[in-house]
Amino acid sequence: MSTNHNSSDESGVSRRGFLKGIGVGTATGVLSDSSLHEAKAAEPGVKGPGETAIILRINGENKQLNVEPRVTLLDALRNRLDLTGPKKVCDRGTCGACTVLLDGDPIYACSVLAIEVQGRDITTVEGLGSPDQMNAVQKAFVERDAQQCGFCTPGFVTACSAFVRDNPNASVDDVCNGLGGNLCRCGTYAGMVLAASDAAKEKGGA
Amino acid sequence: MANVAWPKEGDRKIIGSRIPRQDGAVKVTGAAKYSYDVNRPDMLWGKLVTSPKAHAELVAVDTSIASALPGVKAVWVDEELLGEELRYVGQVVACVAAESEEVAIEAAEKVKLQLKVLEHQVVDNDPSLSTGRPSNREEGNLDEGFAGADVVVEGQYGIPVITHCCLEPHGQVTEMKDGELHVWPSTQNVSRYSNQFGDEIEIPQNKIHVDTQYMGGGFGSKFNIDKWGIIGAKLSIETGRPVKIMLDRREELMIAGNRPSGFAKIKVGLQQDGLISAVDAEVWGSGGQGAFRAPPIPYVFTKVPNTRLVGKGIRTHRGSVRAWRAPNHPQGCLLTMSAVDDAAAALGMDSLEFFMRNAALTDRPEVYREELQIAANIIGYRQKAHARGDSGPGPVKRGLGVAIHTWGGRGHPSECDVTINSDGSVEAKIGSQDLGTGTRTCIAMVVAETLGLPYEAITVHLGRNSYPASGASGGSTTIGGISVSARRAATDALNDLLRTVAGRLGTTDEKLEASGGHVHRIDQAGGGVSWKEACSMLGPNSITKRGINNPGESQQEGLISAGVGGVQIADVSVDVETGVVTMNEMVAVQDCGLIINMKLAESQVYGSLIMGITYALYEESIYDKKTGIMLNPDMEFYRLAGIKDVGQLKVHMMTGKGFDERGIIGLGEPPVIAPGAAISNAVANACGVRVPNLPLTPERVIAALQKGGDIA
């Protein structure tokens, strides 16, 4: 596996550096005390190769978990916290199926380490809306049938929610540029362009 | 009394409408749990160990280091492969099960394979590499056909191996519980999954529970349980713990789906009036370790009087062929349509005119002519058309290309239970699957239409093998199968209800019907009793009826049929300095009989156009001759079209008289057949030369231009 990831000054680790690390087991838990996200796990310095206790702020909730430093944010979300909205497809920052918002900006969760994003606000597709309370982008995706198998859809919805928030008067060209970081295999782009345009008009989004 | 025949146009309340898909909300919010998303308590992660060589003898497997890693719970090795040949990179040899995905990956890398490397062969475009006897089919008299031709043109064309690249990879979660096996596979074959375990595990069929609620793409590659399915079950039995095995992207692109290549030398004879008089084709290609069948040439023009088709399979040390949407048709279409379009250009005949005339040589001339007319009008063909080679100034040349296709699509055998409960609720249960085509939604629509209820009133349960068996989703057979079994079940259940209600309303069931949420006399719409009230008369006894689709019978009754046609026209720009092809616009005109949901039907066609643009311009599984490995098993270098790459798409569905009364016909495959050919023809029309092989990459376009203006 190669990596697009650069070493982070904050954590002092890179994904590549830990591919050879070892360790077992994980533990997860939910913390209600928001002050905990400033806790000791964010200390600078070299971590690992064993597990480190970290706290991630996801969809407004602090979650404590133990991860090896080599674990990506995507794997932490999916495998440790059962937040399976973000999907694992290319696992190297190409397809966008794993897109989440980091302090409001779309990023590829497969390409950052979980330990790097402590103290940041992480929003997954689950945090954007629920089946009973969809955001404007989600509603538009349903209405315009901008999905088939739906495996790329959470990533697109997340990217699109940030896009329409920042580009309320987006043209079709703007939409195509704005969603250029995600890929679909079933071929649902025609519906997506319409959905994104509808949502942009409504100034909806994240 | 309700009748199973489809309601006539004007009587349809729900069928044919544009209802958003039923599972849209759970998909856009991440709530839908795909097989990959199933996390079970105490679950282990399985990671496959695969052959790094294209061809080698497996001498020994050393698992000692891997087994000793903390967190590793089991290592399974395929003992039967010891001393045998491994025949492609990625062939599964062993599997590690560990407490976390990271440990499983690390341990799998530490399983040592001792190999004796053998010579490999991964080249699939050289006919001299073919072994075995060529297939040969001849009709009419070729010599006479060419002697009677006014123009004879020869060319060579090709379409490479591409891979399915399902976004959800192949794989499954397995779990043993109280002696029974639970499997959550990513499959397009729910009802016929568990029987594929065969003798590999000693668990009776009725104790294997298959559950696929959401799956992330199959396109023909997910019919089989596959080796990883059997390994998962064995590891769950051995460890007593759930095991998740999903292929990684590299494995997915190498071993989980290859569409066979097709290369051909084709000689076409045309009469002065443009009619094709003879086609002589020699075709070769490879299905990897799987079989190669010659694609149909001449494709669609099946009434060409004089033809010969010679097929030569090439065995390669590459992953095996799997069905890819409309098996062999995209190849047959690209090869045929390129050759005949080159012949038309040599004759100096406009492409649209050429296809119009040769529609006479198809099985459905009138339909193709009408579709060609409509497609030409939508794209403005006559205003934009020019002879081959855009003579305008500047390096960007523009062109139009036409192609036509056909497919069967008759509904498969299917069974469905519909239950009407005394509280008025209605459920349908079926062992089918929703690949994203809208199966759930269409079942609900058919049942709602039958019972005169709103669509939201129907709860559909699918994706489990405990439900009535329904066919695999392949060959565009699902919509016909599930619509008829659901229709029959709902009709029978309703007639039971009408019998119960008739007594209470002091009439006979022949005089009753259900519509608008009421059960009423046929001559008194809006009267009678509400649906809920009618159902309450059932007391404690629900009605459950099973509907069965027997394809032959249903076709005779006019509920389903087969055989559709479609026309596509592409409008492209080609930069003759850089070789870059840009999609401007593409039109698809398609018939598929009676349409259940217009919105979802159009989505299938839009999706097909995009998938077709992708394989026309970008997709190719590239293998290195020297090392035998795939060079692009990732999504950077195995490119899919992005949202900016597809241009403007327009879809026109043929409906109404002449189409609706054919009953239901499948749609998932036909519109994905022609895009490669239409785009290739458009590029030839734009830049004046044929770019013979897909994908139409800049380097291929430049190479074709440098060879000069001669065809092929």
Side-chain angles (χ1 to χ4, degrees):
Chain A
M1 169 144 343
S2 76
T3 168
N4 301 325
H5 174 74
N6 297 319
S7 289
S8 157
D9 292 332
E10 203 175 323
S11 61
V13 293
S14 75
R15 190 174 176 183
R16 185 184 292 277
F18 283 92
L19 286 176
K20 296 293 178 195
I22 58 164
V24 290
T26 57
T28 65
V30 178
L31 289 185
S32 53
D33 182 357
S34 63
S35 66
L36 277 175
H37 86 275
E38 289 155 9
K40 65 185 190 99
E43 283 169 9
V46 175
K47 308 265 192 275
E51 289 191 346
T52 304
I54 63 168
I55 294 153
L56 297 179
R57 186 165 180 79
I58 303 167
N59 299 331
E61 239 180 299
N62 280 324
K63 310 237 178 190
Q64 187 179 33
L65 62 160
N66 297 324
V67 293
E68 294 171 46
R70 63 178 166 178
V71 173
T72 63
L73 172 60
L74 178 63
D75 288 341
L77 293 170
R78 290 182 53 82
N79 303 348
R80 273 81 177 173
L81 300 170
D82 203 32
L83 280 165
T84 54
K87 303 295 187 229
K88 189 164 179 170
V89 175
C90 74
D91 202 27
R92 56 193 292 169
T94 309
C95 74
C98 64
T99 302
V100 301
L101 303 182
L102 187 64
D103 297 331
D105 295 329
I107 59 150
Y108 296 142
C110 73
S111 299
V112 295
L113 297 173
I115 62 169
E116 283 180 286
V117 291
Q118 298 174 84
R120 314 279 295 273
D121 265 319
I122 300 156
T123 307
T124 69
V125 68
E126 290 94 338
L128 297 175
S130 62
D132 298 327
Q133 265 192 313
M134 293 184 278
N135 76 7
V137 167
Q138 290 167 324
K139 278 184 202 157
F141 265 60
V142 174
E143 189 52 42
R144 295 293 194 168
D145 203 37
Q147 52 182 342
Q148 285 189 35
C149 85
F151 211 69
C152 73
T153 308
F156 264 106
V157 163
T158 305
C160 191
S161 293
F163 173 77
V164 300
R165 177 200 62 206
D166 298 339
N167 302 274
N169 300 308
S171 66
V172 168
D173 274 355
D174 295 336
V175 167
C176 288
N177 286 323
L179 299 183
N182 293 60
L183 293 170
C184 166
R185 183 50 158 162
C186 300
T188 60
Y189 299 137
M192 283 180 193
V193 169
L194 297 173
S197 303
D198 288 355
K201 273 180 212 144
E202 280 202 37
K203 292 190 184 186
Chain B
M1 283 282 278
N3 183 314
V4 77
W6 297 116
K8 301 250 178 300
E9 197 177 357
D11 295 339
R12 296 175 210 136
K13 306 284 189 295
I14 293 173
I15 287 177
S17 60
R18 295 177 173 273
I19 294 172
R21 64 182 65 226
Q22 198 179 51
D23 46 12
V26 292
K27 285 184 174 179
V28 296
T29 54
K33 287 284 180 188
Y34 292 75
S35 300
Y36 202 157
D37 301 334
V38 171
N39 288 325
R40 303 293 300 167
D42 290 325
M43 187 175 76
L44 299 174
W45 286 83
K47 178 66 192 168
L48 299 172
V49 179
T50 65
S51 174
K53 296 291 178 189
H55 192 199
E57 184 192 324
L58 182 63
V59 178
V61 180
D62 178 2
T63 62
S64 57
I65 298 173
S67 301
L69 270 185
V72 172
K73 292 297 165 188
V75 183
W76 176 90
V77 175
D78 189 344
E79 305 281 350
E80 286 178 10
L81 279 176
L82 290 171
E84 298 293 320
E85 286 180 23
L86 304 179
R87 295 174 188 278
Y88 53 93
V89 176
Q91 185 173 349
V92 178
V93 174
C95 184
V96 175
E99 297 279 1
S100 75
E101 188 176 9
E102 291 77 20
V103 173
I105 291 169
E106 188 182 346
E109 286 169 359
K110 292 189 165 140
V111 173
K112 286 186 187 157
L113 305 184
Q114 193 188 331
L115 302 171
K116 196 172 123 197
V117 176
L118 304 170
E119 268 187 43
H120 63 258
Q121 198 305 91
V122 295
V123 176
D124 69 333
N125 60 0
D126 177 356
S128 72
L129 295 169
S130 173
T131 50
R133 238 180 58 194
S135 64
N136 192 336
R137 202 194 64 209
E138 279 188 68
E139 277 171 28
N141 185 322
L142 267 187
D143 292 339
E144 279 177 23
F146 284 116
D150 292 288
V151 172
V152 176
V153 173
E154 260 189 281
Q156 188 168 320
Y157 314 92
I159 181 167
V161 172
I162 67 168
T163 174
H164 296 64
C165 195
C166 305
L167 292 197
E168 180 183 40
H170 288 62
Q172 73 290 313
V173 175
T174 46
E175 178 174 2
M176 286 299 293
K177 212 172 175 181
D178 304 325
E180 309 203 348
L181 176 66
H182 298 258
V183 193
W184 293 266
S186 184
T187 183
Q188 51 195 105
N189 194 6
V190 165
S191 288
R192 290 286 176 273
Y193 181 91
S194 64
N195 60 317
Q196 296 181 46
F197 280 109
D199 301 330
E200 295 279 353
I201 57 171
E202 289 174 6
I203 298 171
Q205 287 288 301
N206 61 322
K207 294 188 173 171
I208 303 174
H209 308 284
V210 178
D211 189 351
T212 303
Q213 291 307 304
Y214 300 94
M215 61 90 74
F219 314 113
S221 69
K222 289 181 177 169
F223 295 124
N224 298 330
I225 187 167
D226 286 314
K227 193 163 176 176
W228 41 86
I230 289 164
I231 295 170
K234 287 184 171 179
L235 284 169
S236 278
I237 292 167
E238 182 186 336
T239 61
R241 294 177 59 179
V243 177
K244 182 187 281 193
I245 303 175
M246 302 302 294
L247 301 193
D248 65 26
R249 188 51 38 185
R250 181 175 163 274
E251 292 161 346
E252 180 69 20
L253 293 189
M254 290 194 305
I255 66 174
N258 286 296
R259 185 178 80 175
S261 51
F263 304 91
K265 262 188 211 152
I266 306 179
K267 189 170 150 190
V268 176
L270 295 188
Q271 299 168 189
Q272 196 56 45
D273 60 3
L275 278 181
I276 307 166
S277 61
V279 174
D280 185 11
E282 179 194 348
V283 59
W284 60 93
S286 181
Q289 282 293 301
F292 174 80
R293 283 185 303 121
I297 303 172
Y299 180 64
V300 190
F301 301 114
T302 50
K303 292 180 180 165
V304 173
N306 309 296
T307 63
R308 177 168 63 181
L309 176 62
V310 176
K312 296 178 173 177
I314 299 166
R315 186 61 68 121
T316 55
H317 292 106
R318 296 164 65 158
S320 285
V321 51
R322 286 179 190 230
W324 192 99
R325 294 176 93 170
N328 255 349
H329 282 229
Q331 296 94 322
C333 189
L334 181 276
L335 299 171
T336 301
M337 302 298 156
S338 300
V340 300
D341 197 56
D342 283 351
L347 186 66
M349 181 175 275
D350 169 73
S351 293
L352 181 68
E353 178 61 25
F354 173 82
F355 280 95
M356 279 285 187
R357 291 197 186 187
N358 282 285
L361 299 177
T362 71
D363 291 334
R364 301 172 73 216
E366 293 308 319
V367 172
Y368 284 115
R369 284 189 199 117
E370 190 181 352
E371 290 180 339
L372 282 161
Q373 199 65 56
I374 292 169
N377 289 344
I378 292 173
I379 209 161
Y381 186 93
R382 286 176 184 85
Q383 295 86 329
K384 294 181 191 165
H386 56 72
R388 182 165 286 191
D390 180 354
S391 55
V396 177
K397 308 297 183 188
R398 195 159 174 171
L400 296 171
V402 184
I404 66 176
H405 61 254
T406 184
W407 188 249
R410 186 174 82 163
H412 56 210
S414 171
E415 301 190 11
C416 176
D417 281 352
V418 168
T419 298
I420 300 173
N421 296 306
S422 52
D423 65 355
S425 61
V426 179
E427 297 166 88
K429 288 184 178 166
I430 186 165
S432 186
Q433 49 277 321
D434 193 332
L435 277 55
T437 48
T439 307
R440 265 188 191 87
T441 312
C442 291
I443 292 169
M445 290 174 74
V446 166
V447 174
E449 175 83 51
T450 308
L451 303 181
L453 292 174
Y455 155 79
E456 296 79 12
I458 316 300
T459 305
V460 177
H461 306 277
L462 53 64
R464 294 204 171 98
N465 66 337
S466 55
Y467 300 147
S470 199
S473 289
S476 304
T477 58
T478 302
I479 188 67
I482 56 109
S483 297
V484 172
S485 62
R487 174 75 171 173
R488 289 191 192 280
T491 304
D492 286 353
L494 173 61
N495 284 335
D496 243 30
L497 177 69
L498 296 183
R499 277 189 279 278
T500 302
V501 175
R504 298 284 290 273
L505 290 182
T507 181
T508 57
D509 56 341
E510 294 90 21
K511 292 182 177 156
L512 289 177
E513 67 175 13
S515 76
H518 282 71
V519 173
H520 56 84
R521 284 174 55 137
I522 291 168
D523 54 3
Q524 290 176 352
V529 296
S530 73
W531 175 262
K532 215 165 177 165
E533 204 178 333
C535 293
S536 71
M537 295 175 197
L538 295 171
N541 303 313
S542 298
I543 300 169
T544 296
K545 290 289 175 185
R546 177 158 301 184
I548 298 175
N549 181 44
N550 174 321
E553 284 173 19
S554 296
Q555 185 161 12
Q556 280 194 338
E557 289 174 66
L559 295 169
I560 55 174
S561 60
V564 297
V567 167
Q568 297 184 1
I569 304 183
D571 172 352
V572 306
S573 288
V574 181
D575 186 326
V576 295
E577 289 177 352
T578 64
V580 171
V581 177
T582 307
M583 296 300 304
N584 299 318
E585 191 174 342
M586 194 151 176
V587 171
V589 179
Q590 183 68 46
D591 80 280
C592 70
L594 177 65
I595 290 170
I596 300 289
N597 184 321
M598 185 58 78
K599 189 188 280 269
L600 300 186
E602 287 176 353
S603 285
Q604 282 297 301
V605 185
Y606 281 117
S608 293
L609 286 177
I610 292 168
M611 213 165 179
I613 290 167
T614 302
Y615 76 70
L617 299 185
Y618 308 119
E619 283 187 79
E620 180 174 12
S621 174
I622 303 169
Y623 272 72
D624 179 51
K625 188 176 170 180
K626 198 166 176 189
T627 58
I629 64 170
M630 184 174 174
L631 296 175
N632 57 343
D634 56 62
M635 292 177 73
E636 289 145 278
F637 297 103
Y638 191 92
R639 252 200 87 187
L640 303 184
I643 195 166
K644 273 180 86 169
D645 298 324
V646 300
Q648 200 179 0
L649 308 174
K650 292 177 180 167
V651 171
H652 179 91
M653 303 301 297
M654 304 294 286
T655 58
K657 197 163 160 35
F659 297 98
D660 290 3
E661 58 267 34
R662 300 186 71 208
I664 293 166
I665 314 174
L667 181 64
E669 280 150 304
V672 86
I673 296 168
I679 293 166
S680 181
N681 286 348
V683 168
N685 181 247
C687 63
V689 296
R690 170 69 56 182
V691 183
N693 293 302
L694 298 190
L696 304 166
T697 57
E699 71 177 331
R700 285 203 174 94
V701 171
I702 293 295
L705 285 164
Q706 283 173 349
K707 272 177 69 183
D710 57 325
I711 286 160

